[in-house]
Amino acid sequence: MERPADFSLEPATDRPTVALAGDWTARMLGGAGPGLAEALDGLDNVAIDLSRVRRMDTAGAYAIVRAAGRGFELDKVKARPETLRLLEVVHEAVKVEPETRRGPARESLTVRVGKGVVAFGKDFLDTMGFLGHLLVVLGRSFVWLFTDPRRIRWPALVSTMERAGLDAIPVVAVTTFFIGAVVAFIGASMLRQFGAQVFAVELIGISMMREFNIVITAVLLAGRSASAFAAEIGSMKMNQEIDAMRVMGVDPFEALVLPRFAALVVVIPLLTFVATLSGLVGGIIVAWSTLDLGPAFFLQRIVDSVGPTHFWLALIKAPFMAGVIAGIGCRQGMEVGGDVQSLGRRVTAAVVHAIFAIIVIDAAFALIYMELDV
């Protein structure tokens, strides 16, 4: 028969003692826990006698530990060995470390900056390790291409090319179409003030063939493919599939990273070409409707005044941006932990880092082209 939890306080001159009785379980605890805490409030060096306690679970042990507060010590408790063990486990689980004195605000700032620098250094070293492993796999696969092509995972490569390349053509085409149209609208409204509407063709051609085609394509791939790569590999990491691959002797870089890296490098020139055509079409439609510049005149002026040089300059950037996008997405996927929050953080980081890297690469190439006067 179950008995409700109860206690009695026996004051003494040297050490007060609280004697507990009944069943200190979640079912029979009732208000004994708060009552015990109120009774022990303000008392020091209290002995706890649990010899009359019949049964106890973690809820009862937690109520006793919480009521005793920071003064709880096992050597002051009289109980059976199994009860002492339960109290010890609960006490270790809920023990609160004493609050450390907070230093000045500048110390806290210094600590945060130091932790940030350490985290940045660790992240940099991990990135260099990832890059080194990837370069080794790329070199090995390049040798296989001529010596043993069957070792290359062609199905995974082709499948990734379809998902990252062909399936991305509609969104790339639609986005760059409207970008070309917007550039044409801005050029028409600005150049009309100076009577130089005809130069809107050069504005549209250079901006779309040199910058917007590759930048917009890369940003869309960062949001579409980098996040997908991080989510796919991260899910496999959470399910311990990557660990299983290592146990079976399969290098995850060869099976997962290399196909995605190669697929993006191969398909990004195609997407850049599609983006260029779509952007020019958007510019042609706007120039025709607002400036009365016909498609034949527009294309002829593109050929005579702009030329293909700007397109090739944009295409040079494509492999670098594709490699960075694929590398960042795969690396963030490899860093996923065992929880969903880690997966979400890594997917977000993959997109943000990839877009930031795209902007940095584009700015670096702009400086190089300026120095080369091209």
Side-chain angles (χ1 to χ4, degrees), residues 206-225:
I206 294 175
S207 61
M208 290 307 306
M209 296 177 66
R210 185 176 180 126
E211 287 295 332
F212 286 125
N213 55 355
I214 181 60
V215 172
I216 297 301
T217 300
V219 169
L220 292 176
L221 285 180
R224 190 176 183 277
S225 298

Side-chain angles (χ1 to χ4, degrees), residues 65-327:
V65 172
R66 185 176 181 181
R70 296 185 183 276
F72 179 83
E73 296 179 7
L74 283 175
D75 57 0
K76 299 178 183 178
V77 179
K78 178 183 178 182
R80 297 187 298 271
E82 59 272 19
T83 304
L84 290 175
R85 176 57 182 162
L86 178 61
L87 288 171
E88 181 183 5
V89 172
V90 173
H91 181 244
E92 291 296 328
V94 303
K95 183 168 58 176
V96 180
E97 296 293 336
E99 294 184 1
T100 57
R101 184 179 62 86
R102 296 189 61 182
R106 61 183 181 183
E107 291 185 6
S108 300
L109 177 61
T110 304
V111 171
R112 289 197 298 268
V113 172
K115 289 181 178 180
V117 172
V118 172
F120 176 80
K122 184 178 181 299
D123 190 66
F124 177 78
L125 292 178
D126 292 341
T127 301
M128 292 298 102
F130 179 91
L131 179 60
H133 196 163
L134 179 59
L135 291 176
V136 170
V137 173
L138 284 174
R140 190 187 307 158
S141 301
F142 185 77
V143 174
W144 290 344
L145 186 63
F146 298 99
T147 58
D148 191 5
R150 291 176 299 178
R151 299 193 62 176
I152 299 177
R153 300 176 181 271
W154 297 108
L157 176 61
V158 174
S159 174
T160 307
M161 288 174 59
E162 180 183 1
R163 290 187 292 108
L166 297 180
D167 293 347
I169 287 179
V171 65
V172 170
V174 172
T175 304
T176 51
F177 174 85
F178 285 107
I179 292 293
V182 169
V183 172
F185 273 121
I186 295 175
S189 60
M190 293 296 295
L191 295 175
R192 185 182 289 114
Q193 303 176 14
F194 307 99
Q197 299 92 324
V198 70
F199 292 105
V201 177
E202 282 81 354
L203 175 63
I204 299 169
I206 294 175
S207 61
M208 290 307 306
M209 296 177 66
R210 185 176 180 126
E211 287 295 332
F212 286 125
N213 55 355
I214 181 60
V215 172
I216 297 301
T217 300
V219 169
L220 292 176
L221 285 180
R224 190 176 183 277
S225 298
S227 59
F229 294 169
E232 292 167 359
I233 298 178
S235 299
M236 297 180 68
K237 185 77 177 297
M238 292 174 58
N239 296 330
Q240 298 182 344
E241 296 178 39
I242 294 179
D243 296 334
M245 293 173 64
R246 290 194 177 100
V247 171
M248 292 186 296
V250 178
D251 188 353
F253 276 74
E254 294 179 5
L256 301 176
V257 179
L258 180 62
R260 289 168 170 79
F261 182 89
L264 222 58
V265 172
V266 171
V267 301
I268 197 169
L270 170 64
L271 294 176
T272 305
F273 179 73
V274 172
T276 304
L277 292 181
S278 181
L280 291 178
V281 169
I284 288 173
I285 293 176
V286 173
W288 194 5
S289 60
T290 60
L291 300 177
D292 199 23
L293 300 177
F297 175 81
F298 189 99
L299 294 176
Q300 186 61 44
R301 192 167 181 87
I302 286 286
V303 173
D304 296 338
S305 303
V306 180
T309 303
H310 297 287
F311 175 74
W312 294 115
L313 292 176
L315 212 59
I316 293 174
K317 305 182 228 178
F320 295 93
M321 292 188 177
V324 167
I325 294 169

